[in-house]
Coordinates of all heavy atoms in Angstrom, one line a residue:
R32 N 0.2 0.1 -10.9 CA 1.2 0.3 -12.0 C 1.4 -1.1 -12.7 O 2.1 -1.9 -12.3 CB 2.5 0.7 -11.4 CG 3.4 1.3 -12.3 CD 4.5 2.0 -11.6 NE 5.3 2.7 -12.5 CZ 6.5 3.2 -12.3 NH1 7.0 3.1 -11.1 NH2 7.1 3.9 -13.2
P33 N 0.7 -1.3 -13.8 CA 0.8 -2.5 -14.5 C 2.2 -2.8 -15.0 O 2.9 -1.9 -15.4 CB -0.1 -2.3 -15.8 CG -1.1 -1.2 -15.4 CD -0.3 -0.4 -14.4
P34 N 2.6 -4.1 -14.9 CA 4.0 -4.4 -15.3 C 4.2 -4.3 -16.8 O 3.3 -4.5 -17.6 CB 4.1 -5.9 -14.8 CG 2.8 -6.4 -14.7 CD 1.9 -5.2 -14.4
R35 N 5.5 -4.1 -17.1 CA 5.9 -4.0 -18.5 C 6.7 -5.3 -18.9 O 7.4 -5.8 -18.0 CB 6.8 -2.8 -18.8 CG 6.1 -1.5 -18.6 CD 7.1 -0.3 -18.9 NE 8.1 -0.4 -17.9 CZ 9.4 -0.1 -18.1 NH1 9.8 0.2 -19.3 NH2 10.3 -0.2 -17.2
I36 N 6.5 -5.8 -20.0 CA 7.2 -7.0 -20.5 C 8.5 -6.5 -21.1 O 8.5 -5.6 -21.9 CB 6.4 -7.8 -21.5 CG1 5.1 -8.3 -20.8 CG2 7.2 -8.9 -22.1 CD1 4.2 -9.1 -21.7
R37 N 9.6 -7.1 -20.7 CA 10.9 -6.7 -21.3 C 11.8 -8.0 -21.3 O 11.5 -9.0 -20.7 CB 11.6 -5.6 -20.5 CG 11.9 -5.9 -19.0 CD 12.6 -4.7 -18.4 NE 12.8 -4.9 -17.0 CZ 13.9 -5.4 -16.4 NH1 14.9 -5.7 -17.2 NH2 14.0 -5.5 -15.1
K38 N 12.9 -7.8 -22.0 CA 13.9 -8.9 -22.1 C 15.2 -8.4 -21.5 O 15.8 -7.5 -21.9 CB 14.1 -9.3 -23.6 CG 15.0 -10.5 -23.8 CD 15.3 -10.8 -25.2 CE 14.1 -11.5 -25.8 NZ 14.4 -12.1 -27.1
G39 N 15.7 -9.2 -20.5 CA 16.9 -8.8 -19.8 C 18.0 -9.9 -20.1 O 18.0 -10.5 -21.2
F40 N 18.9 -10.1 -19.2 CA 20.0 -11.0 -19.4 C 19.5 -12.5 -19.3 O 20.3 -13.4 -19.7 CB 21.2 -10.8 -18.4 CG 20.9 -11.2 -17.0 CD1 21.0 -12.5 -16.6 CD2 20.4 -10.3 -16.1 CE1 20.8 -12.9 -15.3 CE2 20.1 -10.6 -14.8 CZ 20.3 -11.9 -14.4
L41 N 18.3 -12.7 -18.9 CA 17.8 -14.1 -18.9 C 17.4 -14.6 -20.3 O 17.1 -15.7 -20.5 CB 16.5 -14.1 -18.0 CG 16.8 -13.9 -16.5 CD1 15.4 -13.8 -15.7 CD2 17.7 -14.9 -15.9
R42 N 17.3 -13.7 -21.2 CA 17.0 -14.0 -22.6 C 15.6 -14.5 -22.9 O 15.4 -15.2 -23.8 CB 18.1 -14.9 -23.2 CG 19.5 -14.4 -23.2 CD 19.7 -13.3 -24.2 NE 21.1 -13.0 -24.2 CZ 21.5 -11.7 -24.1 NH1 20.6 -10.7 -24.1 NH2 22.7 -11.4 -24.1
I43 N 14.7 -14.2 -21.9 CA 13.3 -14.5 -22.1 C 12.5 -13.3 -21.8 O 13.0 -12.4 -21.0 CB 12.9 -15.7 -21.3 CG1 13.2 -15.4 -19.8 CG2 13.5 -17.0 -21.7 CD1 12.6 -16.5 -18.8
T44 N 11.4 -13.1 -22.4 CA 10.6 -12.0 -22.1 C 9.8 -12.2 -20.8 O 9.2 -13.3 -20.6 CB 9.5 -11.7 -23.2 OG1 8.8 -12.9 -23.4 CG2 10.2 -11.3 -24.5
T45 N 10.0 -11.3 -19.8 CA 9.4 -11.5 -18.5 C 8.8 -10.2 -18.1 O 9.2 -9.1 -18.5 CB 10.5 -11.9 -17.5 OG1 11.5 -10.9 -17.4 CG2 11.1 -13.2 -17.8
D46 N 7.8 -10.3 -17.2 CA 7.3 -9.1 -16.5 C 7.8 -9.2 -15.1 O 8.6 -10.0 -14.7 CB 5.8 -9.0 -16.7 CG 5.1 -10.1 -15.9 OD1 5.7 -11.0 -15.4 OD2 3.8 -10.0 -15.9
R47 N 7.3 -8.2 -14.3 CA 7.8 -8.1 -12.9 C 7.5 -9.4 -12.1 O 8.3 -9.8 -11.3 CB 7.1 -6.9 -12.3 CG 7.5 -6.6 -10.9 CD 6.6 -5.4 -10.4 NE 6.3 -4.4 -11.3 CZ 5.2 -3.8 -11.5 NH1 4.2 -4.1 -10.7 NH2 5.0 -2.9 -12.4
G48 N 6.3 -9.9 -12.2 CA 5.9 -11.1 -11.5 C 6.8 -12.3 -11.9 O 7.1 -13.1 -11.0
D49 N 7.1 -12.5 -13.1 CA 8.0 -13.6 -13.6 C 9.3 -13.5 -13.0 O 9.9 -14.5 -12.5 CB 8.1 -13.6 -15.1 CG 6.8 -13.8 -15.8 OD1 5.9 -14.5 -15.3 OD2 6.7 -13.3 -17.0
R50 N 9.9 -12.3 -12.9 CA 11.2 -12.1 -12.4 C 11.2 -12.3 -10.8 O 12.2 -12.8 -10.3 CB 11.7 -10.7 -12.7 CG 12.1 -10.5 -14.2 CD 12.8 -9.2 -14.4 NE 12.0 -8.1 -14.1 CZ 11.1 -7.5 -15.0 NH1 10.9 -8.1 -16.1 NH2 10.4 -6.5 -14.6
V51 N 10.1 -11.9 -10.2 CA 10.0 -12.2 -8.7 C 10.0 -13.7 -8.5 O 10.7 -14.2 -7.6 CB 8.8 -11.5 -8.1 CG1 8.5 -12.0 -6.7 CG2 9.0 -10.0 -8.1
Y52 N 9.2 -14.4 -9.3 CA 9.2 -15.9 -9.1 C 10.5 -16.5 -9.4 O 11.0 -17.4 -8.6 CB 8.1 -16.4 -10.1 CG 8.0 -17.9 -10.0 CD1 7.4 -18.6 -8.9 CD2 8.5 -18.7 -11.0 CE1 7.3 -19.9 -8.9 CE2 8.4 -20.1 -11.0 CZ 7.8 -20.7 -9.9 OH 7.8 -22.1 -9.8
I53 N 11.2 -16.1 -10.5 CA 12.5 -16.7 -10.8 C 13.5 -16.4 -9.7 O 14.3 -17.2 -9.4 CB 12.9 -16.2 -12.2 CG1 12.1 -16.7 -13.3 CG2 14.4 -16.5 -12.5 CD1 12.2 -16.1 -14.7
A54 N 13.5 -15.1 -9.2 CA 14.4 -14.8 -8.2 C 14.1 -15.6 -6.9 O 15.1 -16.0 -6.2 CB 14.3 -13.3 -7.9

Side-chain angles (χ1 to χ4, degrees):
R32 194 166 193 196
R35 293 179 297 141
I36 295 176
R37 64 181 173 94
K38 186 185 278 191
F40 72 86
L41 295 174
R42 300 289 184 229
I43 56 175
T44 55
T45 59
D46 67 357
R47 185 183 322 138
D49 297 333
R50 289 188 298 275
V51 167
Y52 178 74
I53 292 168

